[in-house]
Amino acid sequence: MNDIRVRYAPSPTGQPHIGNIRTAFFNWLYARHNGGKFVVRIEDTDQERLVEGAYEGILEALSWLNIDWDEGPDKGGPFGPYLQSERLEVYNSAANILITKGVGYYCFCDRDRLNNLRKQQQENKSDIKYDRKCLNLSNDEIEQNLSNNIPHVIRYKIPADNTIQLNDIVRDEVEWNTNLLDDFVLIKSDGFPTYHLANVVDDHSMNISHVLRAEEWLPSTPRHLLLYDALGYEPPQFGHLPMILGPDRSKLSKRHGATSILEYRDLGYLPEAVINFMVLLGWSIDDHTEIINRQEMVKLFDLGRVGKPAAVFDIDKLDWMNGNYIRDLSDEDLFEHVKHACIGEFGENIVDQYSDRLTKMTPLISPRMKYVTDAPDMVSYILTDNLSVEKEFIETCKLSSSDITIALTATIKYVQEEIDFSKDTLESEMRIICGQLEYSPRNYFGLIRNVLTSRSATPPLFDIMEILGPRDTLSRLDNALKLFQ
Ligand code: GLU
């Protein structure tokens, strides 16, 4: 039996960002590489910070990136429930064990007292710590307070003068002195556990073998190790993943680009590009390989190659990667993305009506696409039979009005007679017309491009003409000519 069990334990306090999902993905890779299990557990114990839609957003982000989970709140599993708010008895009984062992104690201090205490400590420049006023309450006092329903929390009594050691998979040896720690809360006044207690109890009861999480949780780890010890649990192995910084080396934030993972989807990034970009935020196979497909990632993922230094988030690299992945898609797969983006922009009817044109256009726009969402704008002029083009725009081709009339008249005549409307024939015949009229190809083909597409940059003109077909080409040329007569 393989006992590698890892978990992603987000708090539904907002939409998941790249840092959260990088953690999820590294856990997923570790599980898949080792044939272990990847568990999703929702840590919703901070009732005040819950954000509506965050839970759904987390699962949707994972699904969009094809990060599948073996156990989780929506699908259950042998260690469920996987939503902490449904496991309150488990935490309460752990807290009771700690009280019985003399390391957990009731605290009835109210918010005002704690605020004043903090203020005083700040003024005296002493450590900000709970002063243990309630540590030695008698059983009678406790019973009386409880029966009077005095709001209370349960705290953990930090042992004095201990050194706590961690051998972290990523950060190696880390040590803390317990004198620096405060008697932290285990159960809050609303009856919910704190992150520390719930996290430890669940990692133990869900048989988690490795806790791979962001470095920001490293300072919480000594508290967790104390709890493992006090509860008589074997701690899992810990690996704290490097921070992710913006290109200016400050903490990654909204101003460095989109922060919610689903925003990347909406901006037109492909999931595989985001995955590839994300895996390099802290892991590598060597010092130069950038494009790595998911299969290789699963095959090669190794915690030994997770670096200690902070990873730098570079949106230009993500853009570059996205372009790469777009060009790597088969025409059929790219078409599905293009179609989806166009339905969002123009509606299903239009896309169905011009589906043939869109299919032919897809490989032509791929070289210039940076985002999937570029597609609607790049194809809009073929998804209509009535393109209207401004006279002023047509004139940007640099031919005079009379030359425009001559060129359009000659082209219309040619198009009316051409039977073979294939791009090769169109190209060779229109080059002859251009030569006969003695216009520079740039100006002449610029004119035809302006008229047929209302754009100055498009895929090759003759491909566009073939896609539009003789009837639509002719009507666009006719309409343009009318503007000059
Ligand atoms: N609930 C914590 C979070 O939101 C989990 C941290 C951990 O993995 O221990 O990230």
Side-chain angles (χ1 to χ4, degrees), residues 7 9-11 43 195 199 213 217:
R7 74 342 183 241
S11 302
E43 301 206 324
Y195 154 68
N199 192 268
R213 63 184 171 198
W217 301 105

Side-chain angles (χ1 to χ4, degrees), residues 73-124:
D74 57 330
K75 58 173 10 172
F79 302 94
Y82 295 86
L83 206 58
Q84 288 189 326
S85 55
E86 293 174 3
R87 303 171 59 79
L88 299 186
E89 333 73 83
V90 191
Y91 314 124
N92 280 319
S93 66
N96 286 332
I97 293 175
L98 294 170
I99 292 175
T100 317
K101 290 189 170 182
V103 289
Y105 65 95
Y106 286 98
C107 169
F108 298 91
C109 294
D110 61 22
R111 208 163 271 190
D112 284 349
R113 177 172 190 276
L114 295 174
N115 285 343
N116 287 335
L117 178 67
R118 184 174 317 118
K119 241 191 249 153
Q120 256 173 32
Q121 291 173 333
Q122 271 162 350
E123 277 164 22
N124 303 340

Side-chain angles (χ1 to χ4, degrees), residues 61 69 159 176 185 221 236 366 368 424:
W69 52 100
W176 296 269
V185 173
T221 310
S366 139
R368 279 167 163 265
D424 293 339

Side-chain angles (χ1 to χ4, degrees), residues 454-471:
S454 191
R455 300 293 159 99
S456 37
T458 66
L461 177 62
F462 309 104
D463 290 83
I464 304 284
M465 291 180 73
E466 187 182 305
I467 289 173
L468 289 175
R471 199 176 50 82

Side-chain angles (χ1 to χ4, degrees), residues 7-13 20 23 41-43 84 195 199 203 211-214 216-217 224:
R7 74 342 183 241
Y8 170 48
S11 302
T13 51
N20 307 133
T23 297
R41 178 177 77 228
I42 302 290
E43 301 206 324
Q84 288 189 326
Y195 154 68
N199 192 268
D203 282 342
V211 167
L212 309 175
R213 63 184 171 198
E216 63 178 295
W217 301 105
H224 299 178

Side-chain angles (χ1 to χ4, degrees), residues 5-194:
R5 289 179 53 84
V6 290
R7 74 342 183 241
Y8 170 48
S11 302
T13 51
Q15 290 298 327
H17 52 71
I18 200 121
N20 307 133
I21 299 293
R22 192 261 326 241
T23 297
F25 189 53
F26 278 30
N27 277 285
W28 181 89
L29 279 175
Y30 193 64
R32 296 294 172 257
H33 175 83
N34 290 295
K37 293 276 188 269
F38 174 61
V39 177
V40 172
R41 178 177 77 228
I42 302 290
E43 301 206 324
D44 59 344
T45 56
D46 193 343
Q47 294 288 299
E48 281 166 28
R49 291 182 57 224
L50 297 186
V51 168
E52 206 179 314
Y55 166 79
E56 290 79 7
I58 289 164
L59 298 190
E60 197 178 335
L62 294 176
S63 303
W64 176 58
L65 294 169
N66 292 315
I67 302 174
D68 60 326
W69 52 100
D70 304 301
E71 298 164 29
D74 57 330
K75 58 173 10 172
F79 302 94
Y82 295 86
L83 206 58
Q84 288 189 326
S85 55
E86 293 174 3
R87 303 171 59 79
L88 299 186
E89 333 73 83
V90 191
Y91 314 124
N92 280 319
S93 66
N96 286 332
I97 293 175
L98 294 170
I99 292 175
T100 317
K101 290 189 170 182
V103 289
Y105 65 95
Y106 286 98
C107 169
F108 298 91
C109 294
D110 61 22
R111 208 163 271 190
D112 284 349
R113 177 172 190 276
L114 295 174
N115 285 343
N116 287 335
L117 178 67
R118 184 174 317 118
K119 241 191 249 153
Q120 256 173 32
Q121 291 173 333
Q122 271 162 350
E123 277 164 22
N124 303 340
K125 300 211 166 22
S126 50
D127 289 344
I128 312 283
K129 272 185 175 181
Y130 177 59
D131 62 356
R132 295 190 159 170
K133 176 171 182 279
C134 294
L135 177 60
N136 294 314
L137 296 181
S138 68
N139 282 349
D140 286 349
E141 277 173 294
I142 294 171
E143 285 312 321
Q144 202 175 350
N145 284 344
L146 290 179
S147 59
N148 288 338
N149 283 329
I150 304 214
H152 61 274
V153 301
I154 299 174
R155 290 184 182 270
Y156 179 77
K157 182 182 157 198
I158 296 280
D161 301 322
N162 265 17
T163 301
I164 301 173
Q165 287 174 322
L166 170 71
N167 190 1
D168 190 271
I169 302 170
V170 179
R171 311 219 59 87
D172 305 327
E173 301 294 331
V174 193
E175 270 188 17
W176 296 269
N177 187 302
T178 52
N179 293 346
L180 298 172
L181 301 175
D182 190 12
D183 282 359
F184 60 94
V185 173
L186 299 166
I187 301 278
K188 295 177 283 186
S189 55
D190 62 1
F192 278 75
T194 53

Side-chain angles (χ1 to χ4, degrees), residues 151-340:
H152 61 274
V153 301
I154 299 174
R155 290 184 182 270
Y156 179 77
K157 182 182 157 198
I158 296 280
D161 301 322
N162 265 17
T163 301
I164 301 173
Q165 287 174 322
L166 170 71
N167 190 1
D168 190 271
I169 302 170
V170 179
R171 311 219 59 87
D172 305 327
E173 301 294 331
V174 193
E175 270 188 17
W176 296 269
N177 187 302
T178 52
N179 293 346
L180 298 172
L181 301 175
D182 190 12
D183 282 359
F184 60 94
V185 173
L186 299 166
I187 301 278
K188 295 177 283 186
S189 55
D190 62 1
F192 278 75
T194 53
Y195 154 68
H196 303 300
L197 179 65
N199 192 268
V200 165
V201 167
D202 283 349
D203 282 342
H204 169 75
S205 58
M206 295 180 179
N207 272 355
I208 297 301
S209 61
H210 295 73
V211 167
L212 309 175
R213 63 184 171 198
E215 196 184 306
E216 63 178 295
W217 301 105
L218 189 60
S220 297
T221 310
R223 297 183 185 93
H224 299 178
L225 290 171
L226 284 169
L227 288 179
Y228 279 105
D229 189 48
L231 288 163
Y233 301 159
E234 170 89 15
Q237 293 201 51
F238 289 92
H240 287 89
L241 308 174
M243 302 239 296
I244 304 177
L245 303 179
D248 57 0
R249 303 223 135 234
S250 67
K251 192 170 185 292
L252 190 64
S253 74
K254 192 119 192 130
R255 77 198 147 82
H256 297 115
T259 50
S260 131
I261 279 288
L262 294 173
E263 253 178 81
Y264 290 101
R265 177 193 61 188
D266 300 342
L267 288 168
Y269 291 94
L270 292 176
E272 290 311 308
V274 173
I275 283 285
N276 191 158
F277 174 72
M278 213 162 56
V279 83
L280 296 177
L281 295 172
W283 180 77
S284 56
I285 16 181
D286 51 36
D287 60 0
H288 58 273
T289 307
E290 306 229 87
I291 300 286
I292 315 167
N293 67 38
R294 194 186 290 246
Q295 263 174 331
E296 282 172 309
M297 290 177 201
V298 169
K299 198 167 126 211
L300 301 171
F301 190 75
D302 164 17
L303 290 173
R305 287 202 62 89
V306 173
K308 278 198 198 68
V312 177
F313 174 94
D314 175 0
I315 192 92
D316 293 336
K317 186 159 158 185
L318 174 57
D319 285 351
W320 167 80
M321 225 162 228
N322 203 48
N324 256 285
Y325 275 90
I326 287 178
R327 276 173 276 300
D328 233 39
L329 290 176
S330 66
D331 288 348
E332 292 73 28
D333 287 345
L334 180 58
F335 176 70
E336 286 310 313
H337 286 284
V338 168
K339 185 174 154 187
H340 185 259

Side-chain angles (χ1 to χ4, degrees), residues 395-447:
E395 284 167 342
T396 59
C397 71
K398 298 216 176 78
L399 291 177
S400 67
S401 292
S402 57
D403 281 337
I404 289 176
T405 311
I406 295 169
L408 288 177
T409 309
T411 312
I412 288 169
K413 181 163 179 293
Y414 160 66
V415 169
Q416 280 169 335
E417 287 164 5
E418 184 55 77
I419 300 165
D420 174 15
F421 217 71
S422 70
K423 62 178 184 201
D424 293 339
T425 306
L426 290 166
E427 175 162 8
S428 57
E429 294 299 320
M430 284 175 70
R431 285 198 186 282
I432 295 172
I433 296 173
C434 178
Q436 285 165 350
L437 296 174
E438 294 183 1
Y439 296 138
S440 86
R442 189 190 166 90
N443 292 349
Y444 172 65
F445 292 119
L447 165 69

